[in-house]
């Protein structure tokens, strides 16, 4: 860049022609081919104390300007032409240096201050970096609802971007403080210490959610030993303690450590912005963990129980919800010990609530609890069903249910059943020779009419025979070659006839497998099934004075 028109350059030993150099608003330097200054205006003399005619530019000017002057002369010698401007700092001020050529070939440097623009650009770049970091931090922190992973990510990110070392202090567990240490973004170390947070000024307040105290109020020498990571070797000169704000309850506190400098006010503000995002992620993780624990506890009462052999009778059950992602639905079954005064009878309940999914499962849970309370009157099926019907009619639920009750008692080598259906598919019995019989019980729906009617039927199972209770999810399941044909009762009976003399568990697995093959990936209703089997038995008898095993059918 050439000097402005009309402003002459005064050289060493020459008289100023117009005095323009002395009045130029910008510092101006002229250097000869050997790097010696030939002209310096007053503004340049005030800026560069060593700049005067006869001094070397390399001695008077900052290195970036001397290097640019040398590079420019090399280009001129090599015929490469002039170069563009350069910029750099002189003390606390930033300048752009624009070169020009005088008539005798000397280089003239015009220095134009751009401190405000440079600082604005640096502030903008810093803000962009911080925004990018906060975006990345939010992505990392919110990508998992696991509390431990959120704590680990918080400590690692803070030690990598905000400070040399970081410590995440989780809410106290009694007199113990869970801590997560990180140094320089390296692997996080977890630990629990028996410590009083009031030992460190500002920490107890941060754990209670109070605003952070300024860093300058915290004496680094007052840090307790348990607060310093084992692999941190620097001498701590500045500490920041900020709360991790949560959803009404603080999620913990973040402690930042630095050696060889102080945290600026802007850095402390930025640390609080990061802490706010980390606290939100931790609170979400805590809330998810709490809800998962509650859901798990409540789900235990909604999930069907695992059945086993009771009082010499084999029981097995299977359940498949309508949707693969669901664990509970509207079908249910239970086995209760209903015997009194030494009676070893059991009560089997299998039912189907109208609807599916969680809403139906909630009503299912209430029905199961009600039946549990009615077990003492298990001998009277009609009374149990009547009381349950009244309870459903008086509730806010508008759903109805179907159900079958089976009182089961083993005597000698046979199992005696009393079955009562309330609007439910008829129970099936497979005999030892493969014949399948229907048990003649029927009744009206529960929760639909003020009074219900039901008929109880009795049957006997000999060793190897099974009674099957099932919901209409099996018979109404659509599938087959074209995907639109119902499984149906006849197909279920044929499948059951193949299960003669099989254990209860095998019967359930077989029926479920055939139904799954039938529907394949198609939609279906909830499916529940219970098998009641009279097992084969081994009895010991004395023959010729010796005890021998005898298989009894």
């Amino acid at each position: 860049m050439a000097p402005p028109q009309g402003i002459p350059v005064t050289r060493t030993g020459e008289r100023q022609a117009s005095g323009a150099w002395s009045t130029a608003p910008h510092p101006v330097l002229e250097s000869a081919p050997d790097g010696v200054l030939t002209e310096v205006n007053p503004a340049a003399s005030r800026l560069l104390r060593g700049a005067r005619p006869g001094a070397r530019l390399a001695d008077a000017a900052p290195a970036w300007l001397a290097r640019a002057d040398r590079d420019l002369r090399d280009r001129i010698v090599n015929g490469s032409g002039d170069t563009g401007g350069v910029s750099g700092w002189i003390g606390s001020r930033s300048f752009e240096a624009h070169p020009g050529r005088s008539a005798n070939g000397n280089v003239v440097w015009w220095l134009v201050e751009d401190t405000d623009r440079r600082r604005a650009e640096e502030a903008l770049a810093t803000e962009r970096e911080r925004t990018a970091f906060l975006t990345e931090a939010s992505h990392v922190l919110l990508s998992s609802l696991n509390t431990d992973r959120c704590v680990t990510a918080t400590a690692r990110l803070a030690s990598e971007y905000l400070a040399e070392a970081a410590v995440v202090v989780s809410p106290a567990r009694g007199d113990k403080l869970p801590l997560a240490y990180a140094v320089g973004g390296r692997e996080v170390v977890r630990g629990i210490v028996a410590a009083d947070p009031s030992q460190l000024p500002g920490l107890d307040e941060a754990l209670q959610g109070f605003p952070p105290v300024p860093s300058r109020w915290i004496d680094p020498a007052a840090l307790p030993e348990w607060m310093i990571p084992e692999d941190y070797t620097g001498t701590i000169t500045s500490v920041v303690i900020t709360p991790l704000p949560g959803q009404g309850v603080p999620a913990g506190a973040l402690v930042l450590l630095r050696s060889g400098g102080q945290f600026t006010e802007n850095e402390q503000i930025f640390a609080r912005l990061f802490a706010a995002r980390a606290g939100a992620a931790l609170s979400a993780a805590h809330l998810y963990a709490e809800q998962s624990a509650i859901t798990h506890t409540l789900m235990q009462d909604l999930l069907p129980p695992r059945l086993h052999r009771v009082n010499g009778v084999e029981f097995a059950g299977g359940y498949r919800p309508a949707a693969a992602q669901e664990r509970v639905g509207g079908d249910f079954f239970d086995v209760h010990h209903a015997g009194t005064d030494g009676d070893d009878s059991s009560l089997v309940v299998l039912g189907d609530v109208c609807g599916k999914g969680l809403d139906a499962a909630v009503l299912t849970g209430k029905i199961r609890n009600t039946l549990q309370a009615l077990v003492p009157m298990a001998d009277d099926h009609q009374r149990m069903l009547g009381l349950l019907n009244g309870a459903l009619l008086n509730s806010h639920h508008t759903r109805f249910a179907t159900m079958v009750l089976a009182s089961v008692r083993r005597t000698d080598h046979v199992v005696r059943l009393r079955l009562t259906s309330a609007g439910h598919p008829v129970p099936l019995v497979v005999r030892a020779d493969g014949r399948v019989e229907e048990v003649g019980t029927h009744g009206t729906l529960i929760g639909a009419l003020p009074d219900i009617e039901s008929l109880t039927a009795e049957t006997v199972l000999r060793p190897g025979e099974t009674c099957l209770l099932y919901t209409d999810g099996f018979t109404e399941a659509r599938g087959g070659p074209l995907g639109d044909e119902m499984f149906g009762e006849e197909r279920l009976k044929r499948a059951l006839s193949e299960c003669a003399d099989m254990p209860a568990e095998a019967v359930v697995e077989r029926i479920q497998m055939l139904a799954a093959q039938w529907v394949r990936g198609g939609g279906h209703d909830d499916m529940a099934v219970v098998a009641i089997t009279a097992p084969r038995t081994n009895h010991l008898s004395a023959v010729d004075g010796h005890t021998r095993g005898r298989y009894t059918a």
Side-chain angles (χ1 to χ4, degrees):
M1 173 179 173
Q5 295 292 326
I7 301 181
V9 177
T10 303
R11 296 170 178 79
T12 304
E14 295 183 355
R15 184 174 62 84
Q16 281 184 265
S18 63
W21 275 91
S22 62
T23 59
H26 304 294
V28 182
L29 305 168
E30 182 185 73
S31 64
D34 58 0
V36 175
L37 292 173
T38 57
E39 188 67 40
V40 179
N41 77 339
S45 297
R46 289 191 296 271
L47 178 65
L48 302 170
R49 296 301 182 184
R52 62 183 183 280
R56 294 185 60 81
L57 179 63
D59 297 331
W64 61 269
L65 181 56
R67 183 169 54 253
D69 183 73
R70 185 171 59 254
D71 292 345
L72 176 59
R73 295 189 185 284
D74 291 342
R75 287 176 176 272
I76 294 174
V77 171
N78 295 329
S80 301
D82 294 347
T83 185
V86 294
S87 61
W89 291 88
I90 301 177
S92 61
R93 301 164 66 187
S94 176
F95 288 88
E96 288 184 344
H98 299 276
R101 297 282 299 280
S102 63
N104 63 354
N106 287 347
V107 177
V108 179
W109 290 97
W110 289 75
L111 304 181
V112 180
E113 184 174 3
D114 65 345
T115 303
D116 292 341
R117 180 180 64 81
R118 177 74 69 87
R119 287 178 174 167
E121 290 177 348
E122 291 181 349
L124 179 59
T126 300
E127 190 61 31
R128 286 174 175 169
E129 291 178 359
R130 290 179 172 179
T131 300
F133 165 67
L134 290 177
T135 301
E136 177 191 358
S138 296
H139 174 73
V140 172
L141 292 168
L142 295 174
S143 63
S144 172
L145 288 175
N146 181 279
T147 306
D148 289 340
R149 283 198 285 268
C150 279
V151 169
T152 298
T154 300
R156 180 182 58 79
L157 289 169
S159 69
E160 186 174 358
Y161 293 99
L162 303 180
E164 297 170 2
V167 182
V168 175
V169 184
S170 298
R173 302 174 184 173
D175 60 345
K176 303 293 181 63
L177 285 178
L179 303 174
Y181 304 92
V183 179
R186 297 194 295 270
E187 184 177 354
V188 177
V189 178
R190 306 291 296 272
I192 298 179
V193 298
D196 183 1
S198 63
Q199 292 178 333
L200 179 59
L203 179 57
D204 194 28
E205 292 78 5
L207 289 172
Q208 298 180 53
F210 291 105
V213 299
S215 175
R216 65 180 182 275
W217 291 5
I218 303 174
D219 181 10
L223 255 67
E225 184 177 351
W226 51 265
M227 181 56 68
I228 304 174
E230 290 185 2
D231 54 346
Y232 185 71
T233 58
T235 300
I236 300 173
T237 58
S238 188
V239 180
V240 167
I241 301 176
T242 183
L244 296 170
Q247 301 294 332
V249 179
L254 175 64
V255 181
L256 304 178
L257 309 177
R258 173 177 291 176
S259 62
Q262 299 292 317
F263 286 102
T264 66
E265 183 66 26
N266 285 337
E267 288 174 330
Q268 295 179 60
I269 294 174
F270 184 63
R272 290 197 286 272
L273 292 176
F274 169 76
R277 301 197 179 199
L282 284 168
S283 291
H286 282 303
L287 181 61
Y288 177 78
E290 182 179 356
Q291 290 177 340
S292 295
I294 294 173
T295 301
H296 176 75
T297 301
L298 296 177
M299 191 70 72
Q300 299 310 303
D301 289 335
L302 298 180
L303 291 174
R306 181 161 182 84
L307 305 185
H308 50 84
R309 187 166 178 160
V310 178
N311 296 330
V313 182
E314 289 184 4
F315 296 98
Y319 174 70
R320 182 179 179 182
Q325 70 274 12
E326 295 176 348
R327 299 179 61 194
V328 295
D331 290 5
F332 65 95
F333 57 82
D334 279 304
V335 174
H336 304 282
H337 179 66
T340 58
D341 298 329
D343 183 9
D344 290 334
S345 63
S346 299
L347 177 68
V348 181
V349 181
L350 183 137
D352 182 0
V353 173
C354 175
K356 50 192 173 183
L358 185 59
D359 289 341
V362 171
L363 181 56
T364 293
K366 293 183 177 181
I367 292 176
R368 292 175 67 186
N369 289 335
T370 302
L371 289 171
Q372 175 73 43
L374 296 176
V375 165
M377 58 184 69
D379 288 340
D380 191 343
H381 291 183
Q382 281 74 20
R383 186 182 180 192
M384 285 187 70
L385 293 175
L387 292 173
L388 179 60
N389 184 67
L392 289 184
L393 290 175
N394 292 328
S395 72
H396 66 279
H397 294 282
T398 59
R399 301 174 186 269
F400 59 85
T402 67
M403 190 175 304
V404 60
L405 303 180
S407 291
V408 184
R409 184 168 58 90
R410 177 172 175 169
T411 59
D412 296 326
H413 308 311
V414 299
V415 175
R416 302 186 182 279
L417 300 178
R418 287 193 307 109
L419 299 113
T420 305
S421 173
H424 202 80
V426 61
L428 301 176
V429 173
V430 56
R431 298 303 180 184
D433 59 1
R435 289 180 297 110
V436 176
E437 303 174 355
E438 294 184 356
V439 179
T441 175
H442 58 81
T444 55
L445 299 172
I446 300 175
L449 301 173
D451 298 310
I452 64 171
E453 297 179 357
S454 60
L455 175 65
T456 299
E458 296 185 2
T459 190
V460 174
L461 301 179
R462 300 188 180 280
E465 296 179 343
T466 296
C467 177
L468 189 74
L469 313 180
Y470 59 94
T471 59
D472 58 12
F474 284 94
T475 55
E476 296 179 1
R478 292 188 177 274
L482 301 179
D484 59 351
E485 184 180 356
M486 288 199 304
F487 192 71
E489 292 183 2
E490 292 304 318
R491 190 172 281 105
L492 177 62
K493 290 179 180 179
R494 289 198 298 270
L496 184 59
S497 69
E498 300 172 357
C499 300
D501 207 22
M502 292 174 59
E505 198 70 52
V507 174
V508 169
E509 290 180 1
R510 176 66 176 169
I511 298 299
Q512 285 189 307
M513 181 189 70
L514 293 176
Q517 291 176 345
W518 182 258
V519 299
R520 290 177 289 183
H524 59 84
D525 199 356
D526 297 329
M527 298 178 179
V529 59
V530 171
I532 307 169
T533 300
R536 296 287 184 177
T537 57
N538 249 339
H539 287 280
L540 298 178
S541 61
V543 180
D544 298 330
H546 299 281
T547 302
R548 298 180 182 179
R550 180 163 58 91
Y551 186 71
T552 302

